[in-house]
Amino acid sequence: MDACRARFGLAKPGVKGRAEALTGDGVLRAWQGDRAGALATLDRAIAVEATADALVNRALLRMAAGDDAGALADLNRAVRRSPRDGRGYHYRGIVQARLGKSEQAAADARRAAALDEEAR
């Protein structure tokens, strides 16, 4: 729980802090197996502020539920919000591959790898 609080800044004030707190709660619900609760909480987080963290985590839930179109929409938004975060490209590449878009999937995989390399 402490790692979750540190990751999502539960003590931060204002809109950003509220969105991060809701994101953390959504992730915790997902870890506990409450997918419906996690999705609802992430929806609320995104309504407060559509952070890349909230969008990527909601996309992961959508992917697990087989909603690749919804996941792709979230991941496109996440990449626009945080273009230096390789997670959005990584998961978007997976969704692109599942949708049969192999060129886009490969491009996203290369971008995710490049960002990962830069981060080291």
Side-chain angles (χ1 to χ4, degrees):
M1 187 62 117
D2 290 337
C4 189
R5 283 192 171 102
R7 171 77 174 111
F8 293 105
L10 299 180
K12 291 181 183 175
V15 171
K16 184 142 181 94
R18 178 75 177 138
E20 289 180 356
L22 286 166
T23 299
D25 186 42
V27 169
L28 182 60
R29 288 172 185 264
W31 287 342
Q32 293 172 332
D34 179 9
R35 287 188 179 174
L39 187 58
T41 304
L42 290 167
D43 287 344
R44 289 185 12 234
I46 291 165
V48 171
E49 183 177 353
T51 66
D53 278 331
L55 290 162
V56 167
N57 281 292
R58 186 170 73 177
L60 292 173
L61 287 171
R62 288 180 167 182
M63 289 169 67
D67 179 9
D68 288 340
L72 183 59
D74 281 345
L75 293 165
N76 285 336
R77 288 178 69 193
V79 165
R80 283 192 303 273
R81 295 277 306 177
S82 189
R84 306 289 306 157
D85 184 344
R87 294 173 309 145
Y89 295 99
H90 172 78
Y91 292 115
R92 188 173 72 175
I94 293 170
V95 173
Q96 300 275 28
R98 286 167 48 161
L99 294 172
K101 301 177 179 181
S102 56
E103 287 183 31
Q104 294 96 324
D108 279 342
R110 285 190 300 273
R111 182 68 178 140
L115 288 169
D116 183 54
E117 189 63 33
E118 288 175 17
R120 290 178 190 219

